Amino acid sequence: MENDSSIKFIRMKNGDDLIADTLFVEKDDVDEAHFFLFKPLKIVYMMSSNMAGAGPGYGGARIIVSLIPWIMADIVTDTEFEVQPEDILLVSQPSPAMVKYYVEFHKANPD
């Protein structure tokens, strides 16, 4: 991973939420603008009920976030993917906790 500022939250048009080390490549004479996503992980949201400290408005439930590989290693050997900007709804800076979770995931699950 280059640095924490290159790690981004990405919401895809298909509804997938990702966190990945990213590089944006500007349009030039040969290629259209695109993103490279390095080691992207899909963010999975789960509801858990009856947990202490659940926030108001969730009826006693709490949202748990997990990370899984966006594209499983059993399907492809690549860990770097080119994505077109028209397939992305937004790119944002993730919270420090999400960046830490992303980095720790990859430390625990090296290629």
Side-chain angles (χ1 to χ4, degrees), residues 42-55:
K42 182 176 179 178
I43 302 170
V44 179
Y45 305 96
M46 296 172 281
M47 295 295 287
S48 177
S49 60
N50 300 326
M51 294 187 69

Side-chain angles (χ1 to χ4, degrees), residues 35-88:
F35 284 90
F36 277 112
L37 306 183
F38 304 95
K39 299 182 179 181
L41 298 176
K42 182 176 179 178
I43 302 170
V44 179
Y45 305 96
M46 296 172 281
M47 295 295 287
S48 177
S49 60
N50 300 326
M51 294 187 69
Y58 291 105
R62 183 176 168 140
I63 296 174
I64 298 172
V65 175
S66 288
L67 299 177
I68 62 172
W70 183 40
I71 299 176
M72 299 295 177
D74 293 345
I75 298 171
V76 299
T77 57
D78 295 331
T79 60
E80 174 182 315
F81 303 93
E82 183 177 329
V83 177
Q84 303 308 310
E86 57 268 15
D87 295 323
I88 296 173

